[in-house]
Amino acid sequence: MTTQQTTSPQADVPSVRKLLTATGVALVAAIVILVAFVLPAEYGIDPLGTGRALRLTDLANASENAAKPARPTVVPAAQNAAAPDTKPAITSINPELVPSPTGDAPTVKNTFIAERRPFQFDSREYTLAPGEGMEIKYNMRKGAGLTYSWTASATLFYEFHGEPDAKPAGKEGTDYYESYDLDDKKGKTESHGTFLAPSTGIHGWFWENKSDKPVNLKLVSAGFYDWISQNRKDTHTALKAIDAYGLPGHPKIPDEVLK
């Protein structure tokens, strides 16, 4: 009886060279994945441009923005009357009705502009000769108000304009001004209104008598200005306003009973 010996197949063990090659290929693939996909998506680093092509960098930007705390909105504080150099934060009146959550009276915001000092008062009368022109301007801060009335005995042509302290780029050192109201065609005999200064500077009128007779002009103003500038007959003069608190008290008039 013949005995046959069975031989088990032996496993093909890779050589050290093959192991090193496979390891190198895996390492290179990992580096490519890291540089091409992970860095753009996680950190926004995109040396190969694949992140921009596949929009992976958007993920990094979104993550970064979400991680940053929101910066609080800074609301300009109302002007401080105790600080003489504080400029008004509000430069226009725009009432806003805010309903009450409890059903009480609603609140109306943006109805006034606070100022840093009491208002000034001024009243003047002039006689403009035929062909004569003159200027009256008020030094006002941005947002300051001026209430005025002027009347003339005959038609005067005028322009209401301003010269801001901070002139636009390229206009420094020039005779730059901004026109607010111009009537050099028909003219007027009176004008009344309220003006809010759009910039810090001097703002006011130029009147001209184009007739062949003298014209009387009366100007009354009350507002928040620091001083008054007059330009007449090529002479510039700084005028002092009337102290409103120095005026006589209200005359004694019998009160009227309202029913």
Side-chain angles (χ1 to χ4, degrees), residues 1 3 22 39 50 68 84 100 113 121 144 192 224 230 245 253:
M1 182 176 183
T3 304
L39 292 180
T50 55
K68 291 182 179 180
S100 170
I113 299 175
F121 173 78
H192 321 278
F224 299 93
Q230 174 182 291
Y245 286 94
I253 301 177

Side-chain angles (χ1 to χ4, degrees), residues 34 48 59 66 85 156 247:
L34 175 66
L48 301 180
L59 299 175
D85 294 330
L156 288 177
L247 295 174

Side-chain angles (χ1 to χ4, degrees), residues 153-178:
S153 60
T155 299
L156 288 177
F157 299 87
Y158 72 92
E159 180 181 26
F160 192 84
H161 60 278
E163 300 178 32
D165 290 347
K167 302 184 186 301
K171 299 295 183 179
E172 298 87 352
T174 65
D175 187 20
Y176 173 83
Y177 68 94
E178 298 170 342

Side-chain angles (χ1 to χ4, degrees), residues 86-98:
T86 301
K87 294 182 180 180
I90 302 174
T91 58
S92 64
I93 294 178
N94 185 21
E96 177 185 355
L97 184 66
V98 180

Side-chain angles (χ1 to χ4, degrees), residues 8 58 76 87 116 125 140 146 153 164 186 193 203 220 235 257:
S8 302
D58 294 345
K87 294 182 180 180
R116 56 195 174 91
E125 294 188 38
M140 305 170 66
L146 174 72
S153 60
K186 296 181 179 180
H203 311 271
V220 179
T235 301
V257 179

